Amino acid sequence: MTALIESAVDKDGKPLEITTDCRTRMNAPTGGLATIKLWPPAKDLGPTFLDLCAPADLFHAMTDLSNIVLIRTAPPFGGGKLAKAGDKHSFDGFKAQWVRGGEEGARGTPGGTIALTALEETKAVVQWQPAPMTVNLTMSAPNGTMRIVATEDYAFELTIEAPSGVLIAARTLHDDLNGTILLPNMPAEQAPKLVSHREVILRRHP
């Protein structure tokens, strides 16, 4: 499964500025930005997933798209075992790691559940909920190294066409991150807190 990224904008709605060289390194389709293999998945979230020249806004959006594909496709999550509305299965823990241009990150969860919450003649609705994840980020700062230690609680809902299995839409039911920003030369007890809420929506292009 491959994603052809035709265009992308930042959080303010402005087109991402990506050089011609970077587009080439990301195997951009004609007139587009990047080509990304989503399944089988890359071994990690480093350059085998997306070249290190990619802007952070594009990289993080593509990790969300990768998550959705894995929920739908990866056997360890047990989606293929869901047969009727109300079916629910547990899955084992997993972790993801990446090193990208001065940023090193890791996320992990001890496990979670996947459930078929609705099944109609033309569509199925699946909810995927990992246990709260530990998140650790390390990045370069002007006076040393900055670390973020946090917990992320999130869940995805996928709407899938039946019986073909084609993805119709996906969204986060919630995505909340709470943590601490550990700054160079600052006592831990004075470290600022980080509270973040995100919303992810994937839908078919009109």
Side-chain angles (χ1 to χ4, degrees), residues 1-202:
M1 186 180 298
T2 302
L4 303 179
I5 311 304
E6 296 181 350
S7 62
V9 298
D10 63 18
K11 59 183 178 59
D12 298 316
K14 298 179 181 178
L16 293 181
E17 296 183 4
I18 302 176
T19 65
T20 300
D21 176 67
C22 184
R23 294 182 188 213
T24 300
R25 290 163 59 183
M26 295 191 297
N27 301 308
T30 302
L33 300 181
T35 300
I36 303 172
K37 186 175 74 172
L38 298 173
W39 186 265
K43 63 179 181 179
D44 56 41
L45 295 176
T48 56
F49 173 69
L50 185 61
D51 195 273
L52 298 180
C53 71
D57 284 335
L58 179 60
F59 167 70
H60 290 294
M62 291 305 98
T63 62
D64 287 322
L65 183 57
S66 177
N67 281 343
I68 291 167
V69 170
L70 290 173
I71 294 167
R72 169 67 184 83
T73 311
F77 290 141
K81 301 176 183 178
L82 303 173
K84 62 182 184 300
D87 280 0
K88 186 175 184 179
H89 294 286
S90 298
F91 55 81
D92 294 334
F94 63 92
K95 62 181 180 179
Q97 297 175 302
W98 65 95
V99 178
R100 302 186 61 88
E103 178 182 298
E104 183 173 347
R107 309 167 74 207
T109 177
T113 60
I114 187 169
L116 182 61
T117 58
L119 180 60
E120 302 174 7
E121 184 176 348
T122 59
K123 68 178 182 181
V125 179
V126 173
Q127 292 184 358
W128 179 84
Q129 169 78 68
M133 304 187 77
T134 56
V135 179
N136 288 276
L137 294 174
T138 302
M139 60 197 73
S140 300
N143 298 319
T145 300
M146 179 178 74
R147 292 182 59 228
I148 296 176
V149 180
T151 298
E152 184 177 15
D153 183 15
Y154 75 109
F156 268 107
E157 180 180 84
L158 279 61
T159 302
I160 300 167
E161 186 177 84
S164 70
V166 172
L167 182 67
I168 298 173
R171 67 187 181 103
T172 46
L173 296 173
H174 60 269
D175 189 346
D176 300 295
L177 184 113
N178 293 273
T180 302
I181 303 174
L182 301 173
L183 298 169
N185 305 317
M186 177 179 287
E189 62 271 15
Q190 298 178 17
K193 299 300 180 182
L194 174 65
V195 178
S196 173
H197 171 74
R198 284 189 335 133
E199 183 178 18
V200 177
I201 299 174
L202 179 69

